[in-house]
Amino acid sequence: MQASSKEVIWVMRFSVLAVGVIASIMALTISSVYGLWALSSDLVYVLLFPQLLMVVHFNEHCNTYGSLTAYLLAFFFRAAGGEEVLSLPALIHYPGYSDGVQQFPFRTLCMLISLVTLIVVSKITDFLFTNGYVSTRHDYFKCFVPAAVVDGVTKGSASEMKPVGDDKVCRSL
């Protein structure tokens, strides 16, 4: 099922409006440009570094399912650690927490959680799809297709599964 051009335009309009509102709120509430820069670099380290590392150097060990799960889990644990710049209180008090300050290197822990999750979930989904435990009709990100479909034939068994393209990184990532 594909979206019509009108639907795509409405989604883009809503997205631009939503991002504009969020950016405006952040610009009005954050008192320091340095704080905003530090927060941005922190999020890149926690959320994007594991993804980039795996896709560039170890792409045979990752796919979109692992990537999305790792991103969401890392975002949760990072946000739960609190952020002074956004006046976000800590929901999780990591070891050494005192007087509203995290003494533990929880950002690195969140990055490692993301990295391990990316690898483990990718391997599990790879195993489930390629061994036929989960049907390809449930492959919502189109990471795996029967080998016969890749070769242009519509028939194939689950045991002949292979990733889309030359590597296991999904096109939708």
Side-chain angles (χ1 to χ4, degrees):
M1 187 168 146
Q2 297 223 349
S4 70
S5 59
K6 274 189 166 188
E7 292 170 329
V8 171
I9 289 172
W10 276 106
V11 168
M12 287 176 26
R13 286 179 181 167
F14 176 76
S15 299
V16 167
L17 181 66
V19 169
V21 168
I22 292 170
S24 297
I25 291 170
M26 288 178 68
L28 294 172
T29 57
I30 295 176
S31 60
S32 167
V33 174
Y34 172 74
L36 189 58
W37 179 83
L39 177 62
S40 297
S41 62
D42 176 18
L43 292 176
V44 167
Y45 172 63
V46 171
L47 300 175
L48 300 180
F49 172 69
Q51 314 268 341
L52 180 66
L53 174 72
M54 292 303 295
V55 168
V56 171
H57 296 291
F58 307 103
N59 63 359
E60 66 277 0
H61 300 290
C62 64
N63 62 36
T64 303
Y65 296 101
S67 185
L68 179 62
T69 306
Y71 186 90
L72 294 174
L73 202 59
F75 183 80
F76 169 76
F77 281 110
R78 175 56 191 95
E83 182 54 51
E84 186 179 332
V85 173
L86 298 175
S87 301
L88 189 66
L91 298 175
I92 298 176
H93 296 181
Y94 293 99
Y97 180 85
S98 69
D99 299 327
V101 178
Q102 299 280 9
Q103 301 295 327
F104 185 77
F106 75 101
R107 292 169 182 89
T108 299
L109 176 65
C110 294
M111 185 273 299
L112 292 173
I113 288 171
S114 178
L115 184 64
V116 170
T117 302
L118 175 56
I119 296 167
V120 170
V121 172
S122 294
K123 290 294 185 184
I124 289 171
T125 56
D126 181 46
F127 175 79
L128 292 175
F129 280 112
T130 56
N131 292 316
Y133 292 108
V134 178
S135 171
T136 56
R137 68 182 172 159
H138 297 297
D139 183 11
Y140 300 111
F141 294 128
K142 306 293 183 221
C143 292
F144 305 97
V145 294
V149 173
V150 172
D151 297 333
V153 181
T154 57
K155 294 183 180 178
S157 68
S159 63
E160 297 174 329
M161 297 290 287
K162 69 179 181 181
V164 175
D166 294 334
D167 55 29
K168 291 187 180 186
V169 178
C170 298
R171 291 177 288 160
S172 54
L173 176 58

